[in-house]
Amino acid sequence: MPNSLMYQQDDFVVLETNQPEQFLTAAELLTKLEKILSQLPDQDLPPDLQKFQSVTEKSQYLLDTSCNLDVGSGKYLHWYAVRLEK
């Protein structure tokens, strides 16, 4: 039986265009995604995100199901769950 710790996603490393890597909590990453998504037009978002009405729902869906977001030509935003303690 797998250990439930394997599925905890409390901390993330975030890689972003022209920025040093950041370590964020899930709440901090959710806030960052909300800010970015609020600045992007809905038609530029992937179809699976367009079905959600609120930015919070879109952000939570991304956090739960993905590890990257297309933020424009030549730009990137990637995040990966990490365990900071053993």
Side-chain angles (χ1 to χ4, degrees), residues 2-25:
N3 188 329
S4 64
L5 286 175
M6 290 177 50
Y7 299 101
Q8 284 183 320
Q9 296 183 353
D10 298 328
D11 298 292
F12 295 83
V13 63
V14 178
L15 307 173
E16 190 173 7
T17 312
N18 298 324
Q19 298 292 322
E21 70 181 25
Q22 302 175 48
F23 289 92
L24 301 178
T25 65

Side-chain angles (χ1 to χ4, degrees), residues 13-86:
V13 63
V14 178
L15 307 173
E16 190 173 7
T17 312
N18 298 324
Q19 298 292 322
E21 70 181 25
Q22 302 175 48
F23 289 92
L24 301 178
T25 65
E28 291 169 332
L29 179 54
L30 190 62
T31 300
K32 182 177 196 67
L33 290 171
E34 288 174 352
K35 180 180 176 186
I36 291 169
L37 287 172
S38 69
Q39 298 171 353
L40 295 174
D42 267 353
Q43 65 267 21
D44 291 349
L45 298 177
D48 57 334
L49 284 183
Q50 292 179 15
K51 66 183 176 185
F52 297 104
Q53 296 300 313
S54 75
V55 172
T56 301
E57 289 175 310
K58 292 174 185 178
S59 301
Q60 188 64 55
Y61 179 79
L62 274 177
L63 189 64
D64 292 341
T65 64
S66 190
C67 63
N68 63 40
L69 176 64
D70 182 6
V71 289
S73 179
K75 298 180 181 179
Y76 60 87
L77 179 67
H78 303 283
W79 59 92
Y80 304 96
V82 294
R83 188 178 329 159
L84 299 179
E85 296 180 13
K86 185 174 181 182

